[in-house]
Amino acid sequence: MSAVLVSSASRRLLLGRSRAHAVIARQNGLRLASLRAVASRGLYASLLEPVGSPGGGSRQRERRRRVEAGGRREQKGSGHECGSSFEAARGINERIGRAADTAELLSVYAAYSAKYDMVHLCLTWRQLGRLSLHGREHRQLLSDWDARVVALREQTLHFVGKGCGKWALATIACALSRLGLRAGSWDLLWDAIEATAVSEVSDLAHVPQNAALVAEAFARTRGPSPALFEAIAQATHSQLAKYKPRDLASLAWSFARSGNESSRFFEALAYEATRRVTAFDAREWAQLCWAYARIGHPAPGLFQTIAPLAAVRLDEMGPEQIAALAWAYAKTRQAPPQLLDAVAKEASSRLLEFNAHALTNLAWAFATAGHESPAFLERIAAELAPITWQMSSHGLAMASWSFTKARHRSPFLYDSLASEAAWRLDEFSPQGLAMISFAFVAAQSRAAPALLDSIAVVALAKLCDFNAQDLAITAWAMANNGGPTHDIVGPIAAEAAPRLREFTPQGLSMLAWAHQRVGSPCAELTVSLDLEAKRRFSFNDELPGPL
């Protein structure tokens, strides 16, 4: 009985291998008999051995004799050709794998590109993604003057357009993302990858890692891709239970990073993540929380479940994950004091590992949550002041606002932020200019007068780009600062007058106060404020009684 079972298993294995032979033969344009000839010469000799006694049964011996005879016949014909083809393919793969740098890899491609198939192209892209590209090599890969790069892109585009399979899509997209090849002449290839992924999304979603890799590559490199992310959301919605925690966290991050919100998808993912929350590692908790905070989806059940677990495992997170976790809980207004205390304790012992961006996020989180921790904020200020040159314009504005909001005055930090911002004001957005103006004036920083004089000059040229809130905040800050900055309040009033319906009551109040404070001669604003007040306030409304 056992011999029969083993024999059946062997036949099933042989059948599966025969099917594999047929697929390989089709892909390489070979005759199946030629491939069997290679197998009969010993490539799969173990599979052709009879089952049972060394001699095997009569049927098995006969089958083996026929296979061997067929192999000998094929060896007289195309067997040698088949063997040499496989040896050539194997040699190309080995050369691709041994390439030590981009130049060598492109040389291999130039020498053998006529023999490249989809496997060779995928191996080439994967190797390119793994190699560290610096200086001339990176510029060379990005340029169109290198004929090898152009040929590689065009050949890849050809194979992707025909449909190259989910593994190939994930490999190529991931490599392009790592190399930063995102625009210009690479747009057509990205478009082809997106079109193929959308058309084959059901197959892509069956392999969670591939779906996660494609989504992450597009999120990092292409930004919003509504058609692709909507297709992935629909295809994965009912399959999230079979996704690994790492893939769930990666999908959540990718959707949030690209700005693709799908409430149905995120609700399903939150349910699955909450159900298996202990299967995630600490870094993946931070990734999940950041994603939900980024899209404004509170997911209270998920956040409440993660908070106590994360508080005791912060040592497993990197600086960026700790900062992102604190930022996410503050952003969603769900930050428990115990978690923020744990963050302050863990981060204090590792502040040297934090970069300027992570330090700014920590300060913002504690300021927004209203969690008092003066000693911790002072340590952040001391670490941040010498490295303000690493900060973006948005980071400079956010750091200024955070310390002002937390009522933590650090003169050395404010001086450092002001000196760095002063010569980079052209990089600031209207919101950034309004935010940093408000922060320095509200903090009564000694650097405020000089900085706001410079801001007034830059803001005057951008007033038409300011929204209502930014106009109100800037007017308030300039009026409070005094001196030459008063001169900009008039142009702000003229810009605001026809747009008063966009202002909140607080914004109207700030604008009216600034207008009165500097004695602005803008009669148009006075009339507009009067009309807007009458429009918003009806005397038929119930008036409050006396105090």
Side-chain angles (χ1 to χ4, degrees), residues 403-421:
F403 280 88
T404 300
K405 172 74 173 176
R407 292 183 171 81
H408 189 89
R409 307 294 186 261
S410 177
F412 182 50
L413 174 62
Y414 278 101
D415 290 347
S416 180
L417 290 169
S419 62
E420 184 64 29

Side-chain angles (χ1 to χ4, degrees), residues 167-458:
W167 175 77
L169 278 179
T171 302
I172 296 170
C174 205
L176 290 174
S177 177
R178 285 186 180 183
L179 297 170
L181 305 176
R182 66 185 70 199
S185 54
W186 297 95
D187 280 333
L188 285 177
L189 182 53
W190 277 108
D191 292 342
I193 293 172
E194 181 176 359
T196 304
V198 170
S199 64
E200 300 179 5
V201 70
S202 57
D203 291 336
L204 190 68
H206 278 300
V207 183
Q209 185 179 15
N210 289 337
L213 285 174
V214 169
E216 184 175 343
F218 273 82
R220 289 186 183 277
T221 310
R222 294 282 284 179
S225 301
L228 174 65
F229 281 92
E230 182 60 30
I232 292 176
Q234 292 181 3
T236 58
H237 176 267
S238 60
Q239 301 183 46
L240 293 177
K242 72 176 185 181
Y243 277 52
K244 293 180 180 179
R246 176 184 59 192
D247 297 325
L248 290 175
S250 177
L251 278 175
W253 182 90
S254 300
F255 271 74
R257 171 71 180 268
S258 62
N260 288 277
E261 302 175 16
S262 174
S263 57
R264 184 166 171 258
F265 170 78
F266 274 100
E267 286 171 6
L269 197 149
Y271 169 79
E272 191 60 36
T274 305
R275 187 177 68 84
R276 290 191 281 156
V277 69
T278 54
F280 289 78
D281 67 30
R283 290 172 180 260
E284 290 160 358
W285 287 335
Q287 201 173 15
L288 277 172
C289 291
W290 179 91
Y292 278 86
R294 174 71 180 266
I295 65 167
H297 195 299
L302 180 63
F303 276 77
Q304 291 170 12
T305 305
I306 288 176
L309 299 173
V312 296
R313 293 178 59 183
L314 292 172
D315 58 325
E316 301 175 25
M317 299 184 190
E320 289 291 340
Q321 285 80 36
I322 293 175
L325 185 73
W327 178 90
Y329 273 90
K331 182 78 164 58
T332 56
R333 312 292 183 186
Q334 302 180 68
Q338 297 83 357
L339 177 61
L340 292 180
D341 287 339
V343 166
K345 181 179 179 180
E346 179 64 28
S348 293
S349 63
R350 299 164 56 188
L351 276 183
L352 289 176
E353 303 173 20
F354 286 70
N355 60 24
H357 178 71
L359 290 170
T360 303
N361 277 342
L362 281 176
W364 186 92
F366 276 72
T368 302
H371 189 77
E372 294 185 7
S373 186
F376 180 53
L377 287 175
E378 185 58 35
R379 292 201 60 185
I380 292 178
E383 292 294 334
L384 196 56
I387 58 173
T388 52
W389 59 271
Q390 297 179 6
M391 302 170 70
S392 64
S393 58
H394 178 71
L396 292 169
M398 194 164 78
S400 305
W401 181 90
S402 299
F403 280 88
T404 300
K405 172 74 173 176
R407 292 183 171 81
H408 189 89
R409 307 294 186 261
S410 177
F412 182 50
L413 174 62
Y414 278 101
D415 290 347
S416 180
L417 290 169
S419 62
E420 184 64 29
W423 65 276
R424 292 170 56 189
L425 288 176
D426 287 338
E427 302 174 17
F428 280 69
S429 64
Q431 183 185 24
L433 291 172
M435 189 184 298
I436 199 169
S437 301
F438 170 84
F440 272 81
V441 171
Q444 299 179 351
S445 169
R446 61 192 178 192
L451 179 62
L452 263 71
D453 286 347
S454 300
I455 291 175
V457 175
V458 175

Side-chain angles (χ1 to χ4, degrees), residues 79-91:
H80 178 70
E81 179 186 349
C82 174
S84 62
S85 176
F86 273 100
E87 288 300 324
R90 184 183 301 171

